[in-house]
Amino acid sequence: MLLNQVPAIITGGGSGLGAATARTFAVAGARVAIFDRDLSAAKRIASETGGIGLEVDVSDPESVAQAFKKVKQNFGIPRALVNCAGIGTASRILPRDGTLPISDFIRTLNVNLTGSYITMSHAAQLMSEATPLNDDGERGVIINTSSVGYEDGQIGQCAYAASKGGIASMTLPAARELARIGVRVMAIAPGLFATAMTDTLPDAAREAIAANIPFPKRLGKAQEFADLARHIVENTMLNGTVIRLDGAVRLQAR
Ligand code: NAP
């Protein structure tokens, strides 16, 4: 599917991997809608890309429903959805202070996993009403963002790894189900990328992670994620699978 003139939604598009994806899709001719809980960030990227920026909490079904309505009114039916909204939480099952961080677990699953499912559902519903864009009968593409933590979760990443594992696990059943309407579903599992999410890590931690990457020995660039997202949209044979984008890194236990 070509991105030229195509309405595309990027959640978490106000920052990091999502912002790079919005810029890349806009350069390819897409009309981008940026969903982010940070409205000023969404509007900043929207004004850079000629798109629209909306305040959306992806874990809130009503907020997502309203935003999809606005996209349809402004641009028509979205043909690409890239889910980048997410939070990176770290907490042990048994913290030393004796508390049980169960609410952190629930919040992480709600934003990362349920949020991706909610937006995917709305995108699929609208895409099912659209006319096919090519001879294959393709109506749209959905890309969810997992993480290498889905396979190599570290100590303290139970919630994050479970949320990203859920995203990876729903890729195939979603692709199988939505094949009927000509919608592909893919997931990207990034290693460590230089964004606001990883900025908060101490330099020593980032250097240690980079040293553990076989090649290239550096954090990923948001543009490299965006380039893969664009390729997935444009390559119709990519469907139902998770692509690790990680320089061959395998995370250690801590
Ligand atoms: P980022 O720079 O923090 O961007 C994430 C964006 O999502 C932020 O603008 C954030 O807003 C927004 N967001 C958070 N919760 C939201 C919600 N409920 N509804 C709508 N928007 C929400 O992070 P990133 O590094 O680009 O991460 C993008 C995705 O890639 C995430 O799913 C992350 O788990 C995944 N990932 C990142 C890396 C990495 O190394 N960077 C590696 C593997 C996977 P706030 O700033 O207000 O929170």
Side-chain angles (χ1 to χ4, degrees), residues 66-151:
Q66 290 306 324
F68 268 83
K69 228 181 246 171
K70 285 187 191 146
V71 173
K72 191 177 173 196
Q73 281 161 4
N74 279 271
F75 289 159
I77 291 179
R79 300 307 192 115
L81 165 69
V82 185
N83 273 319
C84 289
I87 51 174
T89 51
S91 54
R92 293 180 178 229
I93 302 165
L94 299 177
R96 292 202 172 85
D97 66 6
T99 59
L100 298 181
I102 289 165
S103 59
D104 290 350
F105 186 92
I106 293 169
R107 187 171 60 95
T108 307
L109 270 285
N110 277 347
V111 174
N112 293 359
L113 178 58
T114 310
S116 300
Y117 181 84
I118 294 170
T119 56
M120 180 166 74
S121 305
H122 281 278
Q125 187 178 48
L126 288 183
M127 288 171 185
S128 73
E129 298 163 3
T131 49
L133 290 168
N134 54 31
D135 291 346
D136 290 316
E138 191 172 18
R139 288 188 168 83
V141 183
I142 297 167
I143 302 171
N144 294 316
T145 306
S146 178
S147 158
V148 293
Y150 97 91
E151 287 184 320

Side-chain angles (χ1 to χ4, degrees), residues 63 75 101 162 172 175 180 211 219 222:
S63 165
F75 289 159
L172 183 60
R180 185 178 56 80
L219 270 55

Side-chain angles (χ1 to χ4, degrees), residues 15-17 36-37 56-58 84 145-146 160 164 191 193 195:
S15 172
L17 306 184
D36 206 291
R37 71 175 170 190
V56 183
D57 176 355
V58 295
C84 289
T145 306
S146 178
Y160 188 69
K164 297 302 184 177
F193 276 62
T195 67

